[in-house]
Amino acid sequence: MAKLTFLGAAGCVTGSKYLVEAAGKRLLVDCGIFQGSQELQDRNYKPLPVDPKTIDCAMLTHAHLDHTGWLPVLAKDGYHGPIFANPATIELTTILLKDSAHLQEEDTLHAQTHKYSRHAEPRALYTTDDVDPVLKQLKTMPRSGGFDISPEFHVASYDAGHILGSSSLELTITEGGRKTVVVFSGDIGRYSQVILKDPTTPPSKADALICESTYGDREHPDGNPAELLAQIVNRVVKRGGSIVIPSFAIGRTQTFMYYLRQLEDQQRIPRVPVYVDSPMALSATDLYLKHREDHDLEFAREEGSDGKGDPLNVHEFHLTRSVEESKAINDVKTPCIIISASGMVSGGRVLHHLAQRLSDARNAVILAGFQAEGTRGRALQEGAKSLKLFGQDVPVCAEIVEMGQFSAHAGKSELMRWLTALPAPPRQTYLTHGEPAAAQALQAAIQQKFQWKAAVARYLDAVTIGS
Ligand SMILES: [Zn+2]
């Protein structure tokens, strides 16, 4: 019998961590940071209920910080084992963790200098020095097909279509001659999107399915993303404003660059400067171009067989690496587009840009990703009249535009499509990585369409898997 404990992404969309215990071994699947409300963020500072020294191995579904961002703490707390992931995920995780440590240091320094933190002595969860040991623990497993993590744990990976390298993982546990299959959906992406291949549902019959439910209660709006983006760029440029897009440097940034380049080439928008305000954006874009195993056919065609096409590069591209360069964007008074982290406005340099531009009605903010409860991004989405930035209330006069068409997560019917492709009903299904309403809505939809029982996972609950 295997035991599975939900150490995160249960009742919320962040902090993904699942502990599998079987055959006397412990395997951790993902190790994400909690983001969003203060209560969630405080969990990042609490020790795991299981001693990290006793965990034997770990594996990752993809590089996003809510699946990898707690690894430096895990290592600091004594985990020294291997962390398996495919090559693209290892490379993305490397730049993401470095950037995460760097941003935390920047934010902490800023909070200390300006004394607006609720903590007497704000401290970073981890620093750049804590990241290096983790990078040495990252070990390669194949992008697709099977791989033995240990004699007890065998894993097969399938494209999840969410970000570069993202996978659904099918874990086969061998214990006392018996096999138990656990499928981890990871974050499921979109069908028929640009750049990446479609999600693939793992083909084996699962004893247990751990399925994400981020958009379990919602569909993404219809509408052609290119057309919508063209409309807003033209509208804002005409009134002399600028556009701020809160976005992490990985995934959505490349999607926006792809569409902006296409629209420029088709002369459907004017060429305006695009500032990608992230020290790691260029490395991330290079990785997107490098890992051709993830590209769908159309993107491969646009790149050309010699790889010389440049579909992810706009004409007036500016990359900012240092804080000084980032602040210099404040002096740009003519129309421009600024893409800056974090995607949920929970921290990072986008705060400076919003502090600068949110009070001007000529400007616009595009919210393209999921905005978790308790984040400033959610507040903007829900029509907040002002936003607290660096201890100041900044009035929200800029146009706030939601563009769910750019989401990297499957909408409800896409989740159902992924589930429909399962070869047989899983014996047990647990819904994770969703706020309660989303997970419950998906639970009801599964019950109604497939007549399976699905449970909504609860934080720190442990369940038994297999017979
Ligand atoms: Zn993700």
Side-chain angles (χ1 to χ4, degrees):
M1 299 268 259
K3 188 171 131 188
L4 177 75
T5 310
F6 301 102
L7 298 176
C12 62
V13 294
T14 60
S16 284
K17 282 179 217 83
Y18 308 118
L19 183 72
V20 179
E21 294 170 90
K25 299 282 180 193
R26 287 178 163 160
L27 162 70
L28 187 66
V29 182
D30 285 345
C31 187
I33 199 165
F34 286 101
Q35 296 160 321
S37 68
Q38 200 58 54
E39 187 203 335
L40 286 174
Q41 287 185 51
D42 287 347
R43 287 184 190 172
N44 292 321
Y45 290 88
K46 291 185 187 136
L48 275 194
V50 52
D51 182 353
K53 287 191 202 74
T54 65
I55 299 173
D56 299 280
C57 42
M59 63 177 179
L60 305 175
T61 59
H62 66 293
H64 271 152
L65 286 175
D66 62 322
H67 296 255
T68 62
W70 209 72
L71 283 170
V73 184
L74 187 80
K76 238 186 345 181
D77 289 353
Y79 177 67
H80 299 302
I83 303 158
F84 291 102
N86 61 47
T89 300
I90 287 182
E91 290 185 75
L92 283 176
T93 301
T94 301
I95 57 175
L96 266 170
L97 289 181
K98 285 183 180 173
D99 188 66
S100 167
H102 183 67
L103 288 175
Q104 287 188 52
E105 287 166 3
E106 265 183 29
D107 284 352
T108 309
L109 191 67
H110 201 275
Q112 283 166 347
T113 338
H114 295 80
K115 303 198 180 350
Y116 58 78
S117 171
R118 68 192 185 101
H119 300 288
E121 276 187 52
R123 67 179 174 101
L125 185 59
Y126 51 85
T127 63
T128 314
D129 288 344
D130 298 319
V131 170
D132 289 336
V134 176
L135 304 183
K136 295 197 182 79
Q137 288 167 265
L138 293 168
K139 305 288 175 210
T140 305
M141 68 180 189
R143 175 71 185 96
S144 55
F147 177 72
D148 285 325
I149 282 183
S150 70
E152 303 79 16
F153 300 127
H154 175 88
V155 65
S157 302
Y158 298 88
D159 279 7
H162 167 63
I163 60 162
L164 189 78
S166 63
S167 306
S168 296
L169 300 174
E170 187 183 88
L171 173 71
T172 303
I173 303 165
T174 305
E175 186 171 24
R178 270 212 307 269
K179 292 195 187 304
T180 306
V181 176
V182 188
V183 169
F184 294 89
S185 72
D187 286 5
I188 300 171
R190 314 291 305 274
Y191 294 85
S192 309
Q193 64 185 330
V194 295
I195 309 177
L196 298 178
K197 287 178 186 162
D198 282 357
T200 304
T201 306
S204 297
K205 181 177 178 339
D207 293 287
L209 167 68
I210 316 305
C211 186
E212 70 119 323
S213 58
T214 318
Y215 282 91
D217 58 345
R218 263 165 297 167
E219 296 295 355
H220 294 304
D222 288 335
N224 178 328
E227 180 53 37
L228 291 163
L229 189 59
Q231 283 171 9
I232 179 167
V233 172
N234 284 314
R235 187 162 76 227
V236 175
V237 169
K238 202 170 155 196
R239 62 184 188 231
S242 294
I243 298 174
V244 179
I245 306 177
S247 168
F248 277 109
I250 288 170
R252 205 162 296 110
T253 293
Q254 284 72 31
T255 309
F256 271 108
M257 295 288 277
Y258 175 90
Y259 280 116
L260 288 168
R261 169 64 188 251
Q262 229 185 25
L263 293 169
E264 284 180 349
D265 285 350
Q266 296 164 357
Q267 299 184 332
R268 290 164 68 191
I269 56 167
R271 288 185 188 181
V272 290
V274 177
Y275 293 89
V276 177
D277 184 21
S278 160
M280 66 170 173
L282 201 59
S283 334
T285 300
D286 285 347
L287 290 179
Y288 260 76
L289 295 170
K290 173 182 163 187
H291 286 283
R292 301 176 123 204
E293 66 274 18
D294 274 36
H295 296 171
D296 67 7
L297 287 174
E298 196 179 336
F299 190 71
R301 201 180 59 235
E302 283 162 17
E303 274 197 294
S305 52
D306 55 1
K308 286 196 176 138
D310 206 1
L312 296 184
N313 196 6
V314 293
H315 289 97
E316 270 200 62
F317 175 72
H318 300 269
L319 182 80
T320 46
R321 290 186 191 274
S322 68
V323 179
E324 288 70 35
E325 285 172 329
S326 171
K327 287 189 175 148
I329 303 174
N330 290 346
D331 299 330
V332 179
K333 304 296 179 202
T334 47
C336 66
I337 297 171
I338 303 163
I339 305 178
S340 182
S342 77
M344 297 192 284
V345 202
S346 44
R349 293 178 177 179
V350 76
L351 301 184
H352 294 276
H353 300 302
L354 290 178
Q356 186 73 17
R357 297 181 192 263
L358 209 49
S359 57
D360 186 336
R362 292 175 303 167
N363 298 332
V365 179
I366 298 181
L367 298 173
F370 186 80
Q371 307 297 328
E373 268 175 10
T375 59
R376 294 186 188 86
R378 175 69 76 96
L380 284 177
Q381 197 177 39
E382 290 176 346
K385 294 277 177 280
S386 71
L387 210 59
K388 199 148 205 114
L389 293 161
F390 309 115
Q392 306 268 327
D393 282 318
V394 179
V396 180
C397 305
E399 180 185 355
I400 308 297
V401 186
E402 262 191 272
M403 293 187 81
Q405 292 83 357
F406 282 86
S407 173
H409 277 279
K412 184 176 185 180
S413 54
E414 290 166 304
L415 287 171
M416 294 304 282
R417 175 172 170 183
W418 188 92
L419 289 162
T420 304
L422 287 167
R427 291 160 66 131
Q428 293 160 264
T429 300
Y430 296 97
L431 302 175
T432 58
H433 204 287
E435 287 172 358
Q440 284 157 18
L442 189 63
Q443 178 188 38
I446 290 172
Q447 175 78 34
Q448 196 194 18
K449 179 163 184 190
F450 307 119
Q451 286 85 49
W452 318 331
K453 275 214 162 61
V456 176
R458 284 188 306 208
Y459 181 50
L460 299 181
D461 260 11
V463 297
T464 305
I465 288 168
S467 46

